[in-house]
Amino acid sequence: MSSKKINIAVIGATGYVGLDLIKILSNHPKVNIKYLCAQKNIGKNIQFFDKRIKKKLPRITKIKNVNWHRIEILFTSLPTGYSQVIAKKLFKYKNLKIIDLSADFRLSDSSLYKKFYGREHLAKKLINNSIYALSEFTKNKLKKFKIIACPGCYPTSIQLPLIPLLKKNLINNKNIIIDSKSGYSGAGKN
């Protein structure tokens, strides 16, 4: 097994999802966090936003300061609509894979994106280079795609138990009702 670490950057580092992501990644033995990006609070330590993160990490920086030739994986943890713009600008970097935690690449049809989000998709040509992926069920396909769209918390909590049951025909797929509740709004930090 290789001991090489993967160089990553996180855009949206100081948001609710970004902070949880950084907490997890900072403890991963195969991850080297090179850049933490945000629009505000440039130069601050990540611990200013989340005291649970113990590892010494790079200070918050602007996206324009990232050396994209040194990054292998970019995590985008941004409000809907922003990851498309970033992906469009960075798609040219051959060794860069983008893992999007927003809704920007979850739909395979740009007309559905407009229907559900009320705006045009700004990176329609990149949709074919993306996969909606719950890794437990799509891990063998991930290497083929440059953009990996992660499902949100509700779809994940629904798909993890249902997909195996449906695949084995252990439940009837008619009239499935999902009733999900959360203590958070799902709208992010703002």
Side-chain angles (χ1 to χ4, degrees):
M1 186 185 264
S2 172
S3 61
K4 181 185 179 297
K5 291 189 174 195
I6 298 169
N7 291 327
I8 70 151
V10 177
I11 297 178
T14 61
Y16 178 76
V17 172
L19 289 169
D20 271 354
L21 172 67
I22 293 163
K23 182 179 179 298
I24 293 166
L25 290 174
S26 68
N27 292 312
H28 196 291
K30 300 269 183 171
V31 167
N32 185 17
I33 300 173
K34 299 295 266 180
Y35 297 95
L36 299 174
C37 302
Q39 291 183 323
K40 298 184 257 179
N41 300 297
I42 305 305
K44 289 195 175 181
N45 286 317
I46 199 68
Q47 290 83 2
F48 176 81
F49 305 96
D50 192 334
K51 304 276 188 257
R52 300 173 305 159
I53 301 169
K54 303 297 183 195
K55 189 173 183 179
K56 184 172 174 24
L57 297 172
R59 293 179 180 269
I60 304 299
T61 190
K62 292 182 180 183
I63 297 168
K64 69 179 185 178
N65 296 332
V66 175
N67 179 349
W68 294 108
H69 296 286
R70 296 182 65 202
I71 302 302
E72 296 162 85
I73 297 180
L74 165 63
F75 286 89
T76 54
S77 177
L78 299 165
T80 301
Y82 291 91
S83 292
Q84 311 165 30
V85 175
I86 300 289
K88 202 171 178 180
K89 288 179 182 176
L90 300 178
F91 196 77
K92 63 185 176 190
Y93 293 96
K94 301 291 182 217
N95 293 327
L96 181 66
K97 192 173 279 262
I98 300 168
I99 300 177
D100 182 29
L101 301 172
S102 78
D104 283 4
F105 291 96
R106 290 178 184 162
L107 300 173
S108 59
D109 181 341
S110 62
S111 65
L112 288 175
Y113 185 87
K114 183 173 184 175
K115 177 182 175 183
F116 290 113
Y117 295 101
R119 59 182 120 163
E120 291 290 330
H121 198 284
L122 301 174
K124 292 177 186 175
K125 292 180 180 176
L126 300 184
I127 291 173
N128 290 337
N129 293 292
S130 68
I131 182 173
Y132 175 84
L134 194 55
S135 61
E136 287 81 356
F137 306 114
T138 56
K139 64 184 165 199
N140 295 331
K141 297 178 184 176
L142 296 179
K143 288 184 180 182
K144 298 175 189 169
F145 294 90
K146 191 161 173 78
I147 301 170
I148 299 169
C150 298
C153 53
Y154 286 121
T156 299
S157 70
I158 294 163
Q159 292 177 71
L160 282 175
L162 275 184
I163 290 173
L165 294 172
L166 290 169
K167 281 184 175 179
K168 300 245 185 207
N169 291 317
L170 295 173
I171 60 172
N172 185 339
N173 65 359
K174 305 280 189 250
N175 301 319
I176 294 174
I177 297 172
I178 306 297
D179 184 12
S180 298
K181 293 172 180 57
S182 173
Y184 292 95
S185 71
K189 192 166 92 175
N190 291 332

